[in-house]
Amino acid sequence: LEPRLDIVDIDEEEETVAADRRLLRGRHTKLSSSRTDSRCMSYHPRIETSEYGSFVTTRTRNSELWFVNNRRLEEAALGYLARYKTRYEVKVYAYCFYGDQTHYVADYPKLNRADFTRDFNSTVARAVPRYVPSYPGGRVWGRRYSAEFLPESGDKERQFFYTVLQAVNDGLAERLSDYPGYNCFHDAVWGIERKYTVTNWAEYNKAKKRNGSVRLIDYQETVTLKYDRLPGYEEMTQRDYAHMMMRKLEEHRQAIVEKRREEGLGYPDPRKLREVVPGSRPRKTKTSTIKDFRPRVIASCPKRRKEVLEWYFAHYYAYREASKAYRAGDLTVKFPPGMYRPYLRTNIPPP
């Protein structure tokens, strides 16, 4: 039988969020009992795992719209995605640029989400002033990336459609073709391979200081970007898989559009989107503070979500105790698997 991803209605979604809040509230009550502990952990710690997928989001500073109406920047960033996807052997199922943010759904079999995200985000940040003449300077990203765990294949599929339908869901475009920015859907479902030229700017600039006649082409390479197929559909032919995904996409799209119509909301003229100036700010944007609720797990099954949260907080508490000991000078303390030592200002190298 063909697996089907059901569309979660609003009541179920609110109930899910409320359940997560109750579970997290109990953990945070313990965490806030010691100010000494909380000072060491302003951000929640990262956990590297190959067991669960990740839904990763990175937002620009002040929600500035740098990823709009700039094909050269898109192609450069996609080239970097292909380079680091290959280098770190990451399985990327979906990726999108969306004005002031990027989303992607991925698996990290080599336990290297931190390395991949560090290199990719920093390279894209350096590309923005290179391809946007009006960029005023300063950092591109507003904060560290956020990452939620995706325990099951159905959860990855759900976030896949969330990623490719972001513009529809936010009321910018009624159809994917109406949005002028890049969308990975057709490349992902048809298994299309696209080639991009990537320049090693660091080596080129270093060489140019020594020899002004060096050629840029000598510091370029061709990389290939191909998205991985969602798990659970490996046995399907490419044609059957693509047709199934297009059918599901239309089901999700129509549900979003109908919901907006019922709320009296519509969509702008697509020509307006092509007039957006890079660097401008949206009228409305999602805002949050460090104390706001953020899900750690995105799962449609409440039981599975609870299991992963228990796993997450077991690592969290173990990390907190190890971090306290490490900062107190015990450099031999062992950290939970998949977690990194915190920064420590010391002249003694770790064991």
Side-chain angles (χ1 to χ4, degrees):
L1 294 176
E2 175 186 297
R4 186 177 186 276
L5 182 65
D6 294 328
I7 301 171
V8 180
D9 59 36
I10 301 303
D11 293 336
E12 182 181 346
E13 185 71 19
E14 291 177 351
E15 183 178 349
T16 295
V17 172
D20 279 356
R21 287 180 184 274
R22 288 194 295 270
L23 189 57
L24 288 168
R25 191 179 299 119
R27 308 301 194 282
H28 289 171
T29 300
K30 296 179 182 179
L31 294 176
S32 62
S33 61
S34 172
R35 289 184 177 273
T36 303
D37 296 345
S38 63
R39 281 201 301 268
C40 299
M41 304 175 67
S42 57
Y43 283 99
H44 67 89
R46 310 294 187 179
I47 306 176
E48 300 279 12
T49 178
S50 59
E51 185 176 357
Y52 309 128
S54 293
F55 176 64
V56 179
T57 301
T58 312
R59 301 180 183 277
T60 62
R61 179 186 58 178
N62 300 323
S63 298
E64 295 166 340
L65 302 172
W66 296 113
F67 303 106
V68 293
N69 299 323
N70 193 326
R71 183 59 59 86
R72 292 183 64 205
L73 176 59
E74 286 183 356
E75 291 182 351
L78 290 171
Y80 299 138
L81 177 64
R83 171 201 276 177
Y84 295 121
K85 179 183 184 299
T86 302
R87 177 180 298 179
Y88 291 110
E89 300 180 42
V90 178
K91 292 183 177 181
V92 179
Y93 304 110
Y95 180 85
C96 81
F97 302 96
Y98 185 65
D100 62 345
Q101 59 192 274
T102 64
H103 294 301
Y104 61 87
V105 182
D107 275 324
Y108 301 88
K110 300 296 183 179
L111 308 180
N112 51 15
R113 184 181 65 190
D115 293 339
F116 172 84
T117 309
R118 176 201 63 210
D119 289 356
F120 177 66
N121 282 353
S122 62
T123 308
V124 171
R126 291 193 295 271
V128 170
R130 185 177 298 119
Y131 294 102
V132 184
S134 60
Y135 190 73
R139 71 179 189 273
V140 173
W141 307 117
R143 62 176 68 167
R144 291 173 61 185
Y145 67 91
S146 67
E148 292 78 40
F149 292 113
L150 306 173
E152 303 294 336
S153 57
D155 303 319
K156 297 171 188 176
E157 183 175 332
R158 181 183 179 187
Q159 293 309 114
F160 174 92
F161 285 112
Y162 175 88
T163 300
V164 299
L165 287 169
Q166 183 79 57
V168 180
N169 192 56
D170 283 358
L172 293 180
E174 187 172 351
R175 296 175 178 81
L176 299 190
S177 58
D178 292 339
Y179 189 71
Y182 171 78
N183 194 294
C184 73
F185 178 75
H186 292 287
D187 288 353
V189 302
W190 284 104
I192 296 174
E193 297 183 3
R194 295 196 184 275
K195 296 186 181 297
Y196 298 94
T197 300
V198 175
T199 303
N200 189 333
W201 290 103
E203 293 299 322
Y204 171 73
N205 291 329
K206 186 186 301 184
K208 195 171 181 62
K209 290 181 180 179
R210 299 191 300 266
N211 181 5
S213 61
V214 295
R215 300 187 308 166
L216 181 63
I217 193 174
D218 293 333
Y219 296 87
Q220 293 178 330
E221 62 175 321
T222 300
V223 294
T224 302
L225 176 60
K226 181 180 180 180
Y227 293 96
D228 295 274
R229 185 181 294 193
L230 286 168
Y233 301 113
E234 293 85 357
E235 302 302 322
M236 298 183 69
T237 66
Q238 191 69 64
R239 183 180 181 85
D240 290 344
Y241 176 71
H243 287 174
M244 178 197 68
M245 295 298 285
M246 288 191 291
R247 186 168 63 251
K248 289 187 175 186
L249 176 81
E250 187 60 19
E251 291 176 1
H252 283 272
R253 190 193 69 82
Q254 289 183 2
I256 295 171
V257 172
E258 290 175 4
K259 180 177 178 294
R260 288 185 59 84
R261 300 295 187 197
E262 292 173 358
E263 296 174 352
L265 302 174
Y267 292 92
D269 188 330
R271 291 174 294 183
K272 293 291 184 182
L273 299 177
R274 292 172 172 79
E275 298 174 0
V276 176
V277 178
S280 57
R281 298 185 185 180
R283 292 182 180 179
K284 295 181 180 180
T285 187
K286 298 177 182 178
T287 59
S288 63
T289 67
I290 197 170
K291 295 183 178 180
D292 287 344
F293 169 79
R294 291 184 179 86
R296 298 289 176 257
V297 182
I298 299 177
S300 56
C301 174
K303 181 179 179 180
R304 191 74 176 106
R305 185 189 311 111
K306 183 179 179 181
E307 291 174 353
V308 180
L309 283 174
E310 295 291 349
W311 167 85
Y312 170 84
F313 280 107
H315 279 67
Y316 188 104
Y317 293 135
Y319 177 88
R320 186 178 64 170
E321 296 304 316
S323 179
K324 286 172 57 180
Y326 184 70
R327 292 173 185 275
D330 182 4
L331 302 184
T332 62
V333 65
K334 291 186 177 180
F335 282 79
M339 304 188 78
Y340 299 99
R341 289 182 173 88
Y343 172 76
L344 181 63
R345 191 185 299 275
T346 177
N347 294 325
I348 306 175

